[in-house]
Amino acid sequence: MTSRPTGASTRGHLSTAPGPRAAGMLLAPGAGAGSDQPALVAIDRTLTEAGIVVQRMDFPYRLAGRRAPDRPPVLLAALESNARELAGRIGVNQARVALGGRSMGGRIASMAVAAGLPASGLVLVSYPLHPPGHPEKSRTEHLGDISVPCLFI
């Protein structure tokens, strides 16, 4: 496995395996972490060994050194930009790229797909069913609008 920074326009890690590029996977971190989050690194290693190109991304607030996440429209725009960049980088249609992440990153990926961003599937690790400390509020309303396969871990 080869892992290197993705480049000037985005910050994260792009891992590639030797052999043909069958598909890609974009992974987004939870609110309190960056692209080096252990769960994302473990998924990256496993998928890369299987021949899937994986990109782990960072959200703009992390790149700016802030602790508090941006509002959802900013997070969605960043995820969509990274997904399109990955599809272009590996030369596949956007619908061949799977999206996912841990906690907030998975939530934003699922919201993007529910809103129409093409994807081959979703991998959602520790999906936040409700905001911290507010079990009466649901964060699942959009899930019914998703038509791609979803793996909840």
Side-chain angles (χ1 to χ4, degrees):
M1 174 174 98
T2 303
S3 181
R4 59 179 167 44
T6 55
S9 65
T10 60
R11 191 181 118 214
H13 296 272
L14 176 70
S15 300
T16 58
R21 296 177 179 164
M25 175 80 194
L26 175 66
L27 294 170
S35 60
D36 59 349
Q37 191 168 40
L40 300 186
V41 172
I43 293 168
D44 180 343
R45 285 189 180 135
T46 300
L47 293 177
T48 301
E49 289 171 4
I52 297 171
V53 177
V54 177
Q55 180 173 322
R56 291 179 275 130
M57 66 171 282
D58 284 303
F59 286 111
Y61 73 95
R62 292 286 295 188
L63 297 175
R66 296 189 316 270
R67 296 177 62 129
D70 293 306
R71 303 297 300 160
V74 173
L75 301 173
L76 285 162
L79 185 125
E80 291 173 13
S81 174
N82 275 267
R84 293 187 197 290
E85 179 183 298
L86 176 58
R89 177 178 281 133
I90 62 176
V92 299
N93 182 292
Q94 177 62 50
R96 297 279 320 277
V97 174
L99 305 175
R102 186 179 187 290
S103 193
M104 182 193 76
R107 178 173 167 251
I108 296 302
S110 69
M111 290 170 63
V113 171
L117 181 67
S120 62
L122 287 166
V123 176
L124 308 173
V125 180
S126 299
Y127 186 88
L129 297 173
H130 54 78
H134 296 280
E136 73 283 358
K137 294 182 182 179
S138 176
R139 287 185 168 167
T140 61
E141 313 77 37
H142 67 285
L143 295 179
D145 295 329
I146 295 172
S147 61
V148 301
C150 299
L151 174 62
F152 288 81
I153 302 173

